[in-house]
Amino acid sequence: MKPATIHYAIRASNPEAHLFEVRCTVSTANPAGQRFALPAWIPGSYLIRDFARHIVSIRAESAGKAVTLTKIDKHTWQAIPTGEKRSSLTVSCEVYAWDLSVRGAHLDQTHAFFNGSSVFLRAVGHEHLPCLVDIQRPLGKRYHNWRVATALSPAEGERGTAHRHGFGTYRAASYAELIDHPVELGDFTLAAFSACGVPHEVVISGRHDCDLARLTGDLERLCAWQIRFFGEPAPMPSYLFLVTAVADGYGGLEHRASTALLCARNDLPYAGMKGTPERYVAFLGLCSHEYFHSWNIKRIRPDAFTAGNLDAENYTTLLWAFEGFTSYYDDLALLRCGLIDQKEWLRLVARTIGKVRRDPGRKRQTLAESSFDAWTKYYRPDENTPNAVVSYYAKGALVALALDLTLRAGTNGRVSLDDVMRALWLRHGERAGHDGVGVGDDDIRLLAEELSGLELEPFFAAAIHGTAELALAPLLKPFGIRLRRQKTSMTPTLGAKTSTDGNEVRLATVYQDSPAQAAGLSAGDLLVAIDGLRVTPDSLEPLLCRRHAGETIRVHAFRRDELMDFTVQLGSPASDKHKLVLKKKRNTLRDGWLQDAAKC
């Protein structure tokens, strides 16, 4: 007798209306009343998204007869008790899919994309069972050329087994695995390459003119470096980059054997492109970030994520390590595998320093707090976010930089953050023959101390649990790198970030302790005039650049529909731009840090 299996089927039933039809069949439903639930969030994106709100209709049947479903909370339904043992129960629903992002589901006449967490109901109590999913072709001639792109494995030996890139039946070992493999359907562009013997594919949806040879060649170098960094063999048998190219977009979400990426089509390389433009560097950095997550968070996980509760928030204070350290290595990997040079990498690091030091939130929130509060603050930004929140991505990357420098300098290059990451993989990573152990709050510090022999508690107390500025300049000095701070302009400042709409200028953020805040200006205020002269996107800079810090100006602004009058004493020109300068003299510590790809 075959072991119990959860059967799913999904079809783009009405692309024009953006509707999927999804079925879930449980052959051994709970006779006391089987429950079904849709996840409240998707792993990797720490915000309650309530995917169940996109269910348009839902119904159930057993043995050809309708079964009543009762909704018991915002994302859970329960079938009435059948009273029969091992009864089969099928729940069918229509899911609205119009979220063009890496997190949800999107469907129209041009393509279909979905994450399992957006469409596949969880049979509560049966999450451990293997799953079969029949991915069906939409009806109609226009979909004749559509193919399937997913890292799910074809269900060998099953009726309707899918062939490579074909519609049919795929298999997952459990519900958690089922929802960790996004799916793209359409007439997409497909390219392939191999890295360290692991087959990789790149699928691009949307109009584009990408130079596939350039892209796959660059990704091959990047992926091979990361595999060798952690050590062969790679933990995944194959890997898939799912890319959606649009006019303007940016984002990525990691999965165990794939990643979903959203980019501007102009970010992709094109035939005849010279060098490595900044936009392409950003796209390669995004690919690098999500690929590094194949180890750091998908298989090396914080304790809080090992339980995998999909119904509520999973709190951890460690996102600074899992997102921040990944943000450090994403660009460093580009340097070490030769896709960018040291000058470009130092520019990227300097930009991150400026980003962190620009926002006052770094003085009010620690990295541990930022990690814990991601569910309510980082992923719910508002006009005051720069004043109250520090990014565990950006500052976490700087902490990784500072820790790497501290370890290398303190051990004369014997131990580095590379060693810590590889030790984390060996001790905590989930892989063949090793179940993996969740990372606790102090484990990274303790491991770094064990490897280096250094006392690192003061460093972690200040960098992770404190708000003091990271002392990067003295840390960089032994490596022959000088950190300089520069003024971005000579124009005195209001101390506010502005946004424009047509010919209007509005305050988007008023920074803490700024001249604008002291004068009473607020986010949302529409600037009308400065000293009696109209403010427009073109006139604001000329109106201010003729002044000097300490001068007083009169500002008229609308707050809602009320005209208000403010007196603002201008502040000093912003000096939030930073530059890292390499000393030409040969430096052994620096060479071991930035050129140690061969060691991996």
Side-chain angles (χ1 to χ4, degrees):
M1 185 174 63
K2 286 187 176 182
T5 303
I6 308 299
H7 290 260
Y8 292 89
I10 184 168
R11 181 170 62 90
S13 58
N14 192 341
E16 294 81 5
H18 321 301
L19 292 175
F20 283 108
E21 181 182 352
V22 188
R23 296 196 309 274
C24 173
T25 300
V26 183
S27 59
T28 55
N30 186 344
Q34 179 63 52
R35 291 190 177 188
F36 297 86
L38 203 62
W41 63 288
I42 180 169
S45 183
Y46 310 109
L47 179 68
I48 296 298
R49 299 190 182 275
D50 292 330
F51 293 117
R53 64 195 170 96
H54 296 305
I55 292 182
V56 176
S57 64
I58 187 169
R59 63 190 184 279
E61 64 177 39
S62 179
K65 296 180 180 180
V67 175
T68 300
L69 285 175
T70 301
K71 195 170 187 178
I72 60 176
D73 63 32
K74 61 183 178 179
H75 55 233
T76 308
W77 292 260
Q78 180 168 310
I80 62 169
T82 62
E84 301 177 15
K85 294 183 179 180
R86 302 180 64 83
S87 61
S88 178
L89 181 65
T90 296
V91 174
S92 302
C93 58
E94 281 188 309
V95 181
Y96 180 72
W98 197 235
D99 175 17
L100 187 59
S101 77
V102 298
R103 300 174 298 270
H106 187 266
L107 169 64
D108 63 14
Q109 304 95 308
T110 67
H111 88 127
F113 170 83
F114 61 85
N115 284 288
S117 52
S118 302
V119 295
F120 293 135
L121 288 164
R122 182 176 89 253
V124 178
H126 299 280
E127 294 90 344
H128 63 288
L129 293 179
C131 302
L132 294 175
V133 54
D134 181 14
I135 303 176
Q136 301 174 359
R137 185 188 302 276
L139 300 178
K141 291 183 178 179
R142 71 184 305 165
Y143 307 109
H144 178 73
N145 292 327
W146 277 28
R147 294 181 290 174
V148 178
T150 181
L152 281 168
S153 299
E156 301 292 342
E158 294 290 337
R159 183 178 179 182
T161 297
H163 299 288
R164 191 170 182 80
H165 305 122
F167 290 88
T169 306
Y170 291 81
R171 177 186 297 277
S174 64
Y175 181 80
E177 182 177 312
L178 175 67
I179 66 170
D180 206 10
H181 295 279
V183 177
E184 174 73 24
L185 312 176
D187 189 11
F188 45 72
T189 301
L190 175 66
F193 64 93
S194 177
C196 295
V198 178
H200 289 63
E201 290 184 338
V202 180
V203 164
I204 306 178
S205 297
R207 298 181 183 180
H208 67 90
D209 60 354
C210 180
D211 181 347
L212 295 176
R214 170 72 185 273
L215 178 60
T216 54
D218 289 346
L219 288 178
E220 179 182 350
R221 294 172 67 176
L222 173 63
C223 295
W225 185 89
Q226 291 198 20
I227 291 171
R228 293 181 183 125
F229 176 83
F230 283 101
E232 298 183 66
M236 56 283 200
S238 61
Y239 194 85
L240 173 65
F241 291 91
L242 287 175
V243 183
T244 300
V246 294
D248 187 22
Y250 181 86
L253 191 65
E254 69 275 4
H255 297 277
R256 291 179 65 83
S258 62
T259 180
L261 305 171
L262 184 70
C263 74
R265 57 180 58 92
N266 289 335
D267 294 345
L268 299 171
Y270 55 89
M273 185 179 76
K274 296 181 180 180
T276 310
E278 185 176 336
R279 295 188 67 145
Y280 183 43
V281 170
F283 177 73
L284 288 174
L286 178 63
C287 294
S288 180
H289 185 97
E290 305 307 337
Y291 197 75
F292 199 84
H293 272 319
S294 301
W295 292 267
N296 195 36
I297 211 167
K298 295 309 299 183
R299 292 173 173 87
I300 309 169
R301 298 190 299 269
D303 264 338
F305 289 1
T306 56
N309 181 4
L310 295 168
D311 295 324
E313 297 88 346
N314 291 203
Y315 294 103
T316 177
T317 61
L318 292 174
L319 291 181
W320 55 268
F322 290 93
E323 292 292 356
F325 282 20
T326 301
S327 296
Y328 172 63
Y329 277 103
D330 56 20
D331 289 333
L332 185 59
L334 300 184
L335 169 66
R336 288 184 176 174
C337 75
L339 292 177
I340 60 175
D341 59 21
Q342 290 187 7
K343 182 179 179 181
E344 174 66 11
W345 184 73
L346 291 173
R347 183 189 69 81
L348 294 172
V349 174
R351 187 172 65 182
T352 301
I353 295 172
K355 179 180 179 181
V356 172
R357 293 186 175 180
R358 184 180 306 120
D359 292 345
R362 73 189 191 282
K363 300 178 180 179
R364 311 187 79 174
Q365 186 186 50
T366 70
L367 276 180
E369 292 168 342
S370 177
S371 299
F372 194 87
D373 291 340
W375 300 90
T376 56
K377 291 188 176 183
Y378 187 82
Y379 276 86
R380 293 182 183 272
D382 58 26
E383 67 283 347
N384 195 52
T385 292
N387 293 324
V389 173
V390 66
S391 168
Y392 51 76
Y393 285 91
K395 189 178 178 182
L398 296 186
V399 167
L401 168 65
L403 179 58
D404 202 1
L405 297 176
T406 298
L407 292 171
R408 290 175 183 274
T411 64
N412 197 29
R414 179 178 58 85
V415 176
S416 69
L417 188 58
D418 299 353
D419 300 302
V420 175
M421 294 306 302
R422 288 190 278 263
L424 279 169
W425 172 238
L426 292 175
R427 297 189 188 184
H428 294 268
E430 178 191 337
R431 58 194 183 278
H434 197 279
D435 291 338
V437 180
V439 178
D441 285 357
D442 295 323
D443 285 348
I444 295 174
R445 174 181 63 82
L446 293 173
L447 185 54
E449 288 180 336
E450 176 189 331
L451 294 174
S452 67
L454 302 176
E455 171 55 53
L456 296 171
E457 189 166 5
F459 174 91
F460 278 80
I464 308 304
H465 302 285
T467 57
E469 208 80 85
L470 290 171
L472 294 176
L475 289 174
L476 288 162
K477 189 175 181 180
F479 295 80
I481 300 175
R482 186 165 59 244
L483 175 61
R484 290 179 177 174
R485 190 168 184 173
Q486 300 173 317
K487 291 184 178 180
T488 53
S489 75
M490 298 305 295
T491 302
T493 181
L494 291 170
K497 182 180 179 180
T498 61
S499 64
T500 61
D501 183 8
N503 215 31
E504 296 181 342
V505 178
R506 196 176 294 273
L507 299 183
T509 295
V510 173
Y511 291 112
Q512 185 74 24
D513 301 325
S514 66
Q517 187 184 72
L521 284 160
S522 298
D525 288 351
L526 176 65
L527 299 184
V528 176
I530 291 177
D531 289 339
L533 297 176
R534 184 183 178 190
V535 173
T536 68
D538 293 332
S539 71
L540 180 58
E541 174 76 11
L543 286 171
L544 294 176
C545 73
R546 298 170 182 268
R547 314 292 191 204
H548 299 282
E551 281 192 53
T552 298
I553 60 173
R554 187 179 183 186
V555 176
H556 283 88
F558 274 111
R559 181 170 300 168
R560 298 179 295 276
D561 61 346
E562 299 178 20
L563 183 63
M564 304 182 73
D565 189 356
F566 304 90
T567 300
V568 182
Q569 186 177 26
L570 294 171
S572 299
S575 55
D576 53 14
K577 185 176 181 180
H578 295 75
K579 186 175 183 180
L580 293 173
V581 182
L582 272 175
K583 292 184 178 179
K584 294 183 179 180
K585 186 177 179 181
R586 182 74 180 270
N587 185 291
T588 304
L589 276 177
R590 185 175 70 218
D591 290 346
W593 171 33
L594 301 183
Q595 299 177 7
D596 68 349
K599 198 170 81 173
C600 302

